[in-house]
Amino acid sequence: MTQSKAAGTVQRSEPQSVWSLGGPLLEGPAWVERDAALWFVDIKSRRIHRFDPAGGDKRSWDAPGQVGFVLPIAGGGFVAGLQEGLFRFDERDGSFTELARPEPDQPGNRLNDATVDPNGRLWFGSMDDGEIAKSGAIYRLAADGSCVPSSPLCSITNGPAVSPDGRTLYHVDTLHGIIHACALEEDGRLTGRREFARIPSTEGYPDGPTVDAEGCVWVGLYAGWGAKRFAPSGELLETVCFPVSAVTKLAFGGPNLTTVYATTANKHLKPEEREREPQAGDLFAFEVSVPGLPSAEISVGV
């Protein structure tokens, strides 16, 4: 791990596998406080997973399509982002009920990553499932249930993530290695989009972002063997190294929000490479000294 002198020591333990899944594409970790568990997905295996670190319980559900994220609704249940659109997911019976289809004219797209802002609004991204065409975008789920496009088109979107004060939204253009920052207005509009940070492809591709209590942006690195932490100014503060090459996203959890969970992937690996990365596609965890932010629940548009 590298770090700036001003940042101090944040990482307090090495990343360790806590659930040996060997999944092709784990994504979207989210700590759900109401049941003190981490929820995440395996996009390509079409599975939703729940990990209870205190009790050790591990549960999984089948999804009816590729599932990019699952986030809690205020009052119970979840919103799942499937290839076709947004669905209400009820973990009690494993059912899915359609809510919205943001891109009915883009059958080659799928939903990929998401977050909930402090006002209870769901923000999510779409992308080309083939990872080539510039056909994806960032959306906001509006109060009337419609999906509002809120970014330029992009091949692979990741994020968004929101600053502690709710005034800045970050989203990622993975193929171009850019983390964008926008002003998040009270009415949900994004203004003043700018380049927050750029990661050269030699260091991996920025994947899912999250934000800690100091407003620093953490981003997983696909094909980069780790994750990076940036100051609110965009300065690189540190890099956390992993024993696997593809780290897709981080999430803070645990009773003090000082455990960082990380999803990883192995779909990019050839058979001989998988032998060298036996933990690729597992769920990892490590401890930090700066906590994350309490997760919000979706209360708008559902």
Side-chain angles (χ1 to χ4, degrees):
M1 171 179 136
T2 62
Q3 61 186 41
S4 71
K5 293 180 180 179
T9 301
V10 172
Q11 182 190 5
R12 299 190 302 185
S13 66
E14 297 299 318
Q16 300 290 330
S17 172
V18 294
W19 189 349
S20 181
L21 282 162
L25 186 56
L26 305 188
E27 253 288 7
W31 182 257
V32 179
E33 292 191 11
R34 67 188 182 210
D35 66 350
L38 185 86
W39 290 74
F40 62 103
V41 302
D42 184 341
I43 296 174
K44 295 302 180 182
S45 295
R46 303 182 177 189
R47 300 275 278 170
I48 294 172
H49 299 295
R50 177 187 181 274
F51 174 62
D52 174 1
D57 183 52
K58 300 170 181 175
R59 296 185 61 192
S60 302
W61 293 260
D62 290 324
Q66 294 189 89
V67 54
F69 61 85
V70 57
L71 290 170
I73 299 171
F78 294 81
V79 170
L82 301 184
Q83 180 154 4
E84 298 84 358
L86 301 177
F87 287 72
R88 181 185 288 268
F89 166 62
D90 189 332
E91 75 278 18
R92 296 170 299 180
D93 60 9
S95 63
F96 291 80
T97 305
E98 184 175 327
L99 294 172
R101 295 188 179 236
E103 297 176 336
D105 59 340
Q106 294 284 1
N109 277 8
R110 64 171 173 83
L111 302 191
N112 188 48
D113 196 6
T115 195
V116 184
D117 72 19
N119 291 317
R121 295 176 296 207
L122 173 67
W123 295 85
F124 63 95
S126 66
M127 61 171 281
D128 172 31
D129 195 35
E131 304 182 1
I132 297 175
K134 189 179 285 189
S135 57
I138 298 297
Y139 289 86
R140 170 175 54 87
L141 181 62
D144 64 359
S146 64
C147 300
V148 182
S150 302
S151 76
L153 293 178
C154 176
S155 298
I156 303 177
T157 64
N158 266 291
V162 179
S163 62
D165 63 6
R167 295 183 176 181
T168 303
L169 181 142
Y170 302 94
H171 67 92
V172 177
D173 178 342
T174 294
L175 286 187
H176 290 94
I178 301 172
I179 303 173
H180 295 284
C182 310
L184 176 51
E185 306 293 346
E186 289 187 9
D187 62 0
R189 290 180 301 117
L190 299 182
T191 62
R193 181 173 285 100
R194 59 185 172 85
E195 183 177 308
F196 170 75
R198 183 183 291 261
I199 297 174
S201 59
T202 53
E203 298 178 14
Y205 295 88
D207 208 311
T210 193
V211 179
D212 66 24
E214 292 184 347
C216 294
V217 178
W218 291 78
V219 65
L221 300 174
Y222 205 100
W225 296 87
K228 292 183 182 294
R229 180 178 186 249
F230 294 89
S233 64
E235 174 194 4
L236 176 62
L237 297 179
E238 50 200 309
T239 299
V240 177
C241 297
F242 277 70
V244 297
S245 56
V247 179
T248 57
K249 190 170 183 175
L250 310 178
F252 293 84
N256 300 313
L257 297 179
T258 54
T259 300
V260 178
Y261 293 97
T263 47
T264 67
N266 66 26
K267 76 178 184 70
H268 61 297
L269 299 176
K270 298 176 182 178
E272 61 272 20
E273 293 172 327
R274 293 190 184 189
E275 292 182 5
R276 294 194 292 268
E277 293 185 44
Q279 294 179 313
D282 287 1
L283 177 68
F284 282 78
F286 61 95
E287 297 296 319
V288 292
S289 57
V290 176
L293 299 169
S295 56
E297 296 182 326
I298 304 166
S299 60
V300 176
V302 291

